[in-house]
Amino acid sequence: MQNLLITTSFAPDAVIIGNGDFPTAEIPLAAISNARYICCCDGAAASYISRGFVPDAIVGDGDSLDEVFKEKYRDILHIIDEQDDNDQTKATRHCLSMGFRSIAYVGATGKREDHTLGNISLIERYRNEMGIDAVMLTDHGYFVAAEGDAEFETFAGQQVSIFNFSCSRIESSGLKWNSYAYGSWWQGTLNEATDNSVKFCADGRYLVFRTYKGKI
Amino acid sequence: MQNLLITTSFAPDAVIIGNGDFPTAEIPLAAISNARYICCCDGAAASYISRGFVPDAIVGDGDSLDEVFKEKYRDILHIIDEQDDNDQTKATRHCLSMGFRSIAYVGATGKREDHTLGNISLIERYRNEMGIDAVMLTDHGYFVAAEGDAEFETFAGQQVSIFNFSCSRIESSGLKWNSYAYGSWWQGTLNEATDNSVKFCADGRYLVFRTYKGKI
């Protein structure tokens, strides 16, 4: 239930480490420590291994890996050559094939901004097309996809942003400024929880971002 | 004409330095050097000044500035207290009031991802509501807002992503994969220019991201 507050005790079934910047914040690093299964997108594998760990799986097109690395890690390496999906989606399919449905995404942001946008929006696809309980943890907060009515655990002063994908109605309680069916991304940003829960009544799909800390 | 390729000789009227990560790439740094007017959002002023420069203006709510700083820079400090707009928009209104219409945004990404998303989408607002020739330069590439038919200068191998805001039709020539009216952000990413121009025939608003370099 990624609608709960996420803390350092968050223990997803699997963590997928993406090709963006390796996380530095306490909560995504704790999620890596707590997870049963670690799957690296191939561009992230070297970063993770350099920290003294070995992932359970490395998934991607293999383009960024040299032959020595491929040979050394061949038992956990899953090279998937198709062009329709990015490495994050390939890693997701792999985790799903292993039976994992609660998946946290870390290291998915922080390099090319178009990749960041793509990766963020994909968690909505994983939720709706694949039935995954997906959360993306950045160094600042976390994105969760929602559809229709939904309730999110919050704390007073928590910064909250909402990105509307397909709603013509998004009503809320528990926010400093009532939400609406935002027509632009910026309109749903810079909101704030007033208490320990935010409820939405909505008729479509949207994405909710909550920060780890209050306004800083 | 921010639809042209942007290089180190790009000289906008004004550069707005945002509250995200200070730029490190050559092209946004060159834009700062080349611009006639430098306006810092208040959270960015200390970073810019620490590099040995003084901006023409510092704009924001002043929350992040101490009294000594405010006194020292009072001649260029514009504290705007209203809550409806973020610092980037306040800085934009300031530059517009100074008569500048070709504005480059740097340092607008790289911290909280909801701020990044909001800031990126705002360049479309500045274009459509304020008539600004806006471009957002990150460390990896640049975002330009467009509406209807538009042509963008490119180079073969340039990575191109398109984010659809309100189109029910986006046809293209000059891309490796033909564009369409994408329903999700990720669908318009990871495309590539095949030659020196990409043309769109579209019936609404969208955002185009081009990288400085080819695929890396």
Side-chain angles (χ1 to χ4, degrees), chain A residues 8-78:
Chain A
T8 52
S9 60
F10 175 52
D13 290 345
V15 166
I16 291 174
I17 306 178
N19 293 331
D21 286 340
F22 200 89
T24 61
E26 194 182 12
I27 289 181
L29 291 173
I32 295 174
S33 297
N34 298 340
R36 287 166 55 197
Y37 192 87
I38 302 295
C39 178
C40 287
C41 293
D42 62 12
S47 297
Y48 184 59
I49 290 167
S50 74
R51 285 162 173 81
F53 303 102
V54 177
D56 297 292
I58 301 169
V59 177
D61 59 15
D63 279 0
S64 61
L65 306 176
D66 65 37
E67 290 308 315
V68 175
F69 185 99
K70 285 183 188 175
E71 180 56 27
K72 185 168 179 187
Y73 294 104
R74 64 182 175 181
D75 292 345
I76 55 169
L77 186 58
H78 303 263

Side-chain angles (χ1 to χ4, degrees), chain A residues 86 109 111-115 117-118 121-122 125 138 140 143 159 161 163 165 185-186 189-190 209 211, chain B residues 109 111-115 117-118 121-122 125 138 140 143 159 161 163 165 185-186 189-190 209 211:
Chain A
N86 70 4
T109 62
K111 287 207 166 81
R112 269 176 53 185
E113 292 76 11
D114 55 340
H115 289 183
L117 293 175
S121 71
L122 277 164
R125 180 182 182 204
T138 77
H140 309 282
F143 288 96
Q159 302 296 291
S161 290
F163 299 95
F165 286 155
W185 304 345
W186 60 271
T189 64
L190 309 183
F209 179 81
T211 55
Chain B
T109 61
K111 285 205 170 83
R112 265 176 56 184
E113 291 76 12
D114 55 340
H115 289 181
L117 292 174
S121 71
L122 278 164
R125 180 183 181 200
T138 77
H140 308 283
F143 288 95
Q159 303 296 292
S161 290
F163 299 96
F165 286 157
W185 304 346
W186 61 271
T189 64
L190 310 183
F209 179 82
T211 54

